[in-house]
């Protein structure tokens, strides 16, 4: 008898592609450094990075907000956005877990925030995963754990989930992103945490802490 092989869990990492936040500061580079550290941390699963930076024939490939229609779902002059490109790639890879890294701005708080999409069947699991990841980052650094929020909380979005009608983050919307588990991390503040975020050792520590916490969570879930 031939036993069916267990499907390998596919993890997709999405670093911010924003290069227009802060002065002499690249959120894309700080977040990519975290993601690269996470992906290099053993043991490795089926892991991929989706990133629109340097990709051609896209709009808002290196700038833009995850909460704005113009920057995400809109097609402009026949071109899709950087965010749409990244989510399409993730869906092609059949991601089970999707983790996005960003830096916050204007909070004046040296902290870590987790965000999850509201209203889909995996909301409870996503909230649990986000809590694990924010706690892991806070334990590994001096960032304050501000907890987990729904993606309507910022209340500045004009992108909305078609299912709930609530304001939402494009990359976390289950109508767009087909991964079951979707978490977005806002790590540090580009002003308050600037020196911290420009230190590669701190970024590596964050990436490794996220990977360790993720692996524990996946094992508990039997994934």
């Amino acid at each position: 008898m031939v036993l069916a092989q267990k499907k390998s869990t596919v993890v997709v990492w999405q670093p911010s592609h924003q290069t227009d936040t802060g002065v002499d500061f690249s959120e894309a580079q700080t977040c990519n450094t975290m993601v690269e550290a996470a992906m290099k941390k053993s043991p490795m699963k089926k892991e991929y990075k989706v990133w629109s930076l340097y990709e051609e024939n896209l709009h808002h490939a290196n700038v833009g907000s995850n909460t704005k229609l113009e920057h995400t779902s809109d097609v402009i002059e026949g071109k899709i956005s950087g965010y749409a490109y990244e989510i399409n790639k993730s869906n092609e890879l059949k991601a089970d877990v999707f983790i996005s890294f960003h830096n916050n701005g204007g909070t004046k708080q040296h902290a870590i925030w987790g965000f999850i999409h509201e209203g889909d069947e995996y909301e409870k699991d996503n909230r649990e995963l986000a809590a694990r990841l924010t706690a892991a980052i806070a334990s590994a650094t001096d960032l304050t754990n501000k907890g987990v929020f729904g993606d309507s909380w910022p209340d500045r979005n004009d992108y909305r989930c078609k299912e709930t009608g609530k304001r939402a983050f494009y990359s976390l919307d289950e109508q767009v992103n087909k991964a079951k588990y979707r978490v977005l991390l806002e790590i540090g503040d580009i002003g308050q945490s600037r020196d911290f975020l420009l230190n590669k050792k701190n970024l590596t520590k964050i990436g490794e802490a996220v990977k360790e916490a993720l692996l524990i969570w996946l094992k508990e879930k039997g994934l």
Side-chain angles (χ1 to χ4, degrees), residues 129-148:
L129 175 57
R132 295 283 192 95
L133 300 185
T134 56
I137 293 171
S139 294
T141 67
D142 63 350
L143 289 163
T144 300
N145 187 356
K146 302 299 288 188
V148 179

Side-chain angles (χ1 to χ4, degrees), residues 135-192:
I137 293 171
S139 294
T141 67
D142 63 350
L143 289 163
T144 300
N145 187 356
K146 302 299 288 188
V148 179
F149 299 85
D151 56 349
S152 72
W153 179 76
D155 198 31
R156 52 179 163 74
N157 322 28
D158 67 3
Y159 178 84
R160 292 179 180 269
C161 173
K162 291 181 180 178
E163 183 67 24
T164 65
K166 289 184 177 182
R167 300 178 189 275
F169 289 176
Y170 173 83
S171 63
L172 295 183
D173 185 354
E174 88 279 15
Q175 308 298 313
V176 178
N177 187 337
K178 301 307 179 183
K180 290 182 179 179
Y181 309 112
R182 289 158 273 112
V183 170
L184 185 145
L185 302 172
E186 290 276 4
I187 302 167
D189 179 274
I190 60 176
Q192 189 72 22

